[in-house]
Amino acid sequence: MAQSPAVELEVRGRTVRISSPDRVVFPDRGITKLDVVEYFLAVGDGVLGALLDRPTTLERWPKGVFEGARMATRQDSSGDAFYQKRVPQGAPGYVETSRIAFPSGRTADEVAPTELAVVAWAANLGTLTFHPWPVVRDDVDRPDQVRIDLDPQPGTDFADAARVAPHVRELLAEHGLEGTPKTSGGRGLHVFVPIEPAWTFVEARRATIAFGRELERRLPEQVTMRWWKEERGRKIFVDYNQMARDRTIASAYSIRSNPRATVSAPLTWDEVADAHPDDFDVTTMPARFADVGDLFAPLVAHAAPRYRIDSLLELADRQERDDGHGDLPYPPEYPKMPGEPKRVQPSKDRDRPR
C-alpha cells in the first residue's frame, strides 16, 4: 500500500511534519498516527504540564499496536517497540534535553519537553507513552513528586485498587499531604503528591516505603509491600521502587499500548470508586478534558502548593526503631545499595528460615 503524503501541523507557532499520517496505529479502533497526534494536541495543556521540564523516556511503537507486537528488551532488541532514553538523532532545535545519571553511573541526554510541539514531534516518531522523571531538568537529583503506585496483583483489578484509594487519601492527609489520583491506563491506580525538591531519591523512596508499610498495617488483607511476586498474594502491591532513581511512571494523558488505546486519566477523588480504565481512551478523553480541564495541574513543575515529607521520614524512623523495619530490595539492575537487605528470591534463598 502506498504511503499517504505527509501533513504539516501548526503547533503554537511551530510547524511539525507528520509523516504517513494515515498509518493505522490501533487496528482494533481504526486510530491512525494523525489521530494520535491530534489527540495529544487536544489535551495539550494537560500532557505538556505533566512533562514540562522533566527528563522523559519515550515509549515508541513505530509500527503500531498490532496483534503479537512486543517490546524490545535488554536481552532481545528485535522487538517492535522500544524505550528511548536518549534524545533521537535529528531532533529539531526546539527539543530541549536534560542530562541524567542512571544507577550504573552512565549518563544520557533525555528529551525534556518545554513546549507542545515537542509532544507532537515525539508522537510522529511513534511515541504513545511518555515516562517523565519526578524531577525537573535544573535539579535532576531531588524529586519534586512522590508517586504512589497501586499495582493490582493476579486475582485483583482496578476496582480493588480503587477500594484502597480512600485509605491512601486519608493517610496522606494525616501527614499533611494531598495527592491527585489517576488511572494508569491499565489495571493500576497512581497517586502523585507534589513535594518540595529538598530530598534525595533515597529519602523520597524511604518515605514511600514508610507510607506503604503503614497502609499495609492498616489493610493487611488488601495491601502488600512484598517485593517478590511469589509472596504478594491476591493483594494490591504498593510499588515503592517507582521512587527509585531512573524508575518512571506513564504520564497523565499518555496513551497505553493496548488494543483499546486507553489513556492515563486524572480523576477527582470522588470519581475513583466508579471509574474504569476503559472509560478513558483516545476518542473520549478530548471531550472530558474540554469539560473538566486539567485535573493534574497541581503536579506541574514549580506549581504551588508543594508539601514536605518530614512526617513520613519520621514514620520511617519509628518503624525502624520500634519494629526493626529497614530498607527493602531495589530492582535487579541496581548496584547493591547501602543498608539494602539480601536481594534473593525467597524460594531460592538457602539461608532463609523455613
Side-chain angles (χ1 to χ4, degrees):
M1 177 182 288
Q3 291 187 343
S4 53
V7 299
E8 292 186 341
L9 300 178
E10 290 300 314
V11 183
R12 299 183 181 177
R14 302 279 191 193
T15 299
V16 180
R17 183 177 182 272
I18 308 302
S19 60
S20 303
D22 293 339
R23 178 182 294 161
V24 177
V25 178
F26 291 94
D28 288 6
R29 305 295 305 277
I31 294 170
T32 66
K33 185 201 278 193
L34 184 59
D35 293 331
V36 167
V37 177
E38 290 180 336
Y39 159 76
F40 281 124
L41 298 183
V43 298
D45 287 338
V47 68
L48 179 60
L51 305 176
L52 186 64
D53 287 335
R54 300 190 183 281
T56 300
T57 298
L58 310 179
E59 183 181 330
R60 295 175 58 184
W61 292 79
K63 301 176 184 178
V65 183
F66 56 89
E67 185 176 357
R70 58 191 179 84
M71 179 66 69
T73 65
R74 288 188 179 89
Q75 295 74 31
D76 180 4
S77 62
S78 64
D80 306 286
F82 56 95
Y83 295 103
Q84 179 128 28
K85 294 191 174 185
R86 290 171 171 80
V87 64
Q89 292 185 348
Y94 58 80
V95 176
E96 301 285 344
T97 63
S98 176
R99 178 155 295 182
I100 47 85
F102 303 119
S104 64
R106 294 181 298 110
T107 61
D109 293 324
E110 285 203 339
V111 174
T114 56
E115 55 182 291
L116 188 56
V118 176
V119 177
W121 162 80
N124 179 59
L125 297 180
T127 302
L128 297 179
T129 310
F130 295 87
H131 297 267
W133 283 48
V135 299
V136 293
R137 60 182 181 151
D138 58 359
D139 190 357
V140 296
D141 294 318
R142 296 186 180 275
D144 69 343
Q145 297 173 344
V146 163
R147 299 171 171 183
I148 300 167
D149 182 5
L150 302 180
D151 185 7
Q153 299 304 291
T156 65
D157 56 19
F158 180 87
D160 295 288
R163 281 189 281 272
V164 172
H167 302 278
V168 170
R169 187 185 189 189
E170 179 182 9
L171 182 54
L172 285 173
E174 290 176 17
H175 289 273
L177 305 170
E178 185 172 341
T180 299
K182 71 180 182 71
T183 68
S184 68
R187 298 166 59 243
L189 183 69
H190 303 150
V191 180
F192 281 28
V193 181
I195 65 170
E196 295 181 11
W199 296 273
T200 65
F201 275 98
V202 170
E203 291 168 320
R205 177 179 173 274
R206 185 169 183 255
T208 306
I209 289 174
F211 182 92
R213 278 176 165 151
E214 177 59 18
L215 195 65
E216 180 184 43
R217 187 189 69 80
R218 298 182 184 193
L219 303 170
E221 301 303 315
Q222 297 173 261
V223 172
T224 181
M225 286 288 287
R226 300 286 185 174
W227 174 246
W228 302 104
K229 292 181 179 180
E230 64 188 38
E231 294 188 314
R232 293 177 188 169
R234 297 178 57 174
K235 298 180 181 180
I236 300 300
F237 171 52
V238 181
D239 189 354
Y240 60 88
N241 269 331
Q242 292 293 5
M243 281 309 303
R245 178 186 291 274
D246 190 33
R247 300 289 278 210
T248 57
I249 292 179
S251 78
Y253 307 104
S254 274
I255 307 171
R256 307 316 305 268
S257 56
N258 57 54
R260 283 195 53 81
T262 59
V263 303
S264 180
L267 304 171
T268 67
W269 283 105
D270 290 341
E271 291 179 305
V272 171
D274 297 322
H276 190 280
D278 286 351
D279 295 338
F280 313 101
D281 62 32
V282 168
T283 66
T284 62
M285 179 55 85
R288 172 178 168 82
F289 187 83
D291 182 36
V292 305
D294 182 18
L295 299 179
F296 227 59
L299 278 302
V300 175
H302 315 299
R306 312 203 77 76
Y307 302 100
R308 295 188 60 84
I309 59 172
D310 306 80
S311 181
L312 286 179
L313 292 172
E314 291 168 2
L315 175 62
D317 289 339
R318 292 195 299 274
Q319 290 172 344
E320 184 170 4
R321 181 185 66 244
D322 299 340
D323 304 317
H325 291 323
D327 202 355
L328 291 174
Y330 275 79
E333 68 272 17
Y334 274 65
K336 183 70 173 179
M337 301 295 286
E340 181 187 3
K342 185 189 298 187
R343 198 184 302 172
V344 180
Q345 188 173 334
S347 60
K348 298 180 181 180
D349 185 0
R350 296 179 180 179
D351 298 329
R352 186 180 178 87
R354 303 297 179 183

